[in-house]
Amino acid sequence: MMKVLIRGLILSAAMALASPSGHAADVYPSRAIKMVVPFASGGPADAIARTLADKLGGILKQPVIVDNRPGAGGVTGMKTVAKSPADGYTFGIGSAGALAISVSLQPDPTYDPRTDLLALTLAASVPELFVVNPNVPAKTLAEFIALAKAKPGSLTVASSGAGSMPHLAAELLQQYAGIQLVHVPYRGAAPAVTDLLGGQVDAMFMDIAVLLPHVQAGRMRALAIGSPERSAMLPDLPTTAELGFPKVVADNWYGIVAPRNLPQPIADKLHAALVETLALPDVKAKLAQQGAVASSTTPAAFAAFLASEVDKWAEVVKAANIKPE
């Protein structure tokens, strides 16, 4: 009788030790969830986050609150996620800059998104459009490259800041096209666009949603799109790959990450809810209005993609000797 009682106590203790994560997943979420955005409110990352938060909250049956934590090119917000309790109540949405470029541009020995964060899924991608001022005598990308080769260092290319995706996209084009442009960094997209419209600078890469109205109005000339596929917003515009530069790919993507040690049952539940959210027709439509293409991946696929992006942009940063502002 005593042996049976002891075995029963041991079994009960083992079940108690084994059950917390499973039980946590059963009741998760039981309160509000925080989505950290590593940039200020009103920007592209914030807009995408708020589009997802409302629908995701409905699926999880708990409010999802957007928490803006700007600083250090997105590193501040992503470190906030990395250092948060791994309980599913804090996760983040990071951009290519915050998750891939920052590792090389703003190296921090205490933070590496590949090892300090759990990759959950890619969320959206925003194609980068390459445009010129109409006064530039180039109707195609080939003509622009020929013009740049004929007069090295005479053409200017604007960006939203040193180390930004538009800057690195331009560096990528220079690297593979064998041309030399003069980089003119601005503090944000708006002043860069203003000067391109005014003819103070010649060309730029920038998010398609930012440039599309000016292209459609004839105030800018689009020469290529830096995404793997053509955009439904400009279906007749060829990709850089189609034009002979398959490695000049510069999507400004956004992905969902969580604290590294998030219990697997909770990670699975959060991932499933995110995939369901990204598949909703109204979410796809709303993101499309922002120039973003909604997409989802497995955690393993996103982790592999993130690692490849870190390596890709590290080479560009090193080759161009780019320093943070």
Side-chain angles (χ1 to χ4, degrees):
M1 182 69 179
M2 182 62 69
K3 290 182 179 180
V4 173
L5 180 59
I6 291 172
R7 280 199 295 269
L9 290 172
I10 292 172
L11 179 61
S12 298
M15 290 177 65
L17 288 172
S19 63
S21 63
H23 177 67
D26 290 340
V27 300
Y28 171 81
S30 59
R31 53 186 170 86
I33 302 167
K34 182 168 61 179
M35 183 194 300
V36 174
V37 178
F39 300 103
S41 61
D46 182 70
I48 292 173
R50 293 181 189 279
T51 297
L52 299 180
D54 180 51
K55 298 297 181 180
L56 181 62
I59 291 170
L60 291 173
K61 296 181 172 53
Q62 289 291 343
V64 176
I65 301 166
V66 174
D67 181 14
N68 297 93
R69 297 290 186 98
V75 171
T76 299
M78 293 296 91
K79 286 183 72 172
T80 297
V81 175
K83 293 181 178 181
S84 294
D87 55 10
Y89 291 98
T90 300
F91 69 95
I93 179 167
S95 65
L99 287 171
I101 297 171
S102 62
V103 181
S104 300
L105 191 65
Q106 299 183 6
D108 182 346
T110 67
Y111 165 76
D112 187 328
R114 295 165 294 184
T115 55
D116 296 334
L117 293 166
L118 177 67
L120 288 176
T121 180
L122 192 67
S125 58
V126 181
E128 295 294 289
L129 200 61
F130 185 62
V131 299
V132 295
N133 180 278
N135 293 326
V136 174
K139 301 294 192 295
T140 66
L141 183 61
E143 291 180 1
F144 179 86
I145 291 171
L147 188 64
K149 286 184 175 180
K151 298 179 179 180
S154 64
L155 293 174
T156 53
V157 60
S159 80
S160 51
S164 64
M165 178 59 76
H167 178 199
L168 268 64
E171 294 293 346
L172 204 59
L173 177 63
Q174 292 180 82
Q175 178 181 334
Y176 287 101
I179 58 177
Q180 181 184 347
L181 307 174
V182 177
H183 175 228
V184 183
Y186 289 82
R187 292 191 176 277
V193 170
T194 297
D195 273 11
L196 184 68
L197 290 170
Q200 281 79 27
V201 287
D202 300 311
M204 69 164 56
F205 273 98
M206 198 66 71
D207 288 5
I208 188 171
V210 174
L211 301 181
L212 185 62
H214 303 296
V215 171
Q216 292 174 329
R219 294 188 292 266
M220 295 179 182
R221 184 183 304 123
L223 302 186
I225 190 165
S227 57
E229 299 177 355
R230 293 194 182 198
S231 170
M233 303 175 82
L234 288 171
D236 295 328
L237 184 67
T239 67
T240 45
E242 289 178 84
L243 297 173
F245 301 98
K247 292 188 177 181
V248 183
V249 176
D251 272 347
N252 200 5
W253 52 265
Y254 297 86
I256 307 295
V257 293
R260 187 70 190 176
N261 296 319
L262 188 66
Q264 193 61 50
I266 293 178
D268 291 343
K269 194 167 187 177
L270 182 56
H271 176 263
L274 286 163
V275 170
E276 184 178 347
T277 300
L278 289 163
L280 293 173
D282 51 345
V283 169
K284 287 178 175 286
K286 206 164 185 179
L287 290 180
Q289 292 173 0
Q290 302 167 37
V293 179
S295 61
S296 63
T297 61
T298 65
F302 181 40
F305 173 74
L306 172 58
S308 69
E309 284 285 284
V310 170
D311 291 342
K312 170 184 173 178
W313 296 118
E315 290 180 6
V316 177
V317 168
K318 183 178 180 180
N321 194 29
I322 299 172
K323 304 296 182 184
E325 293 180 314

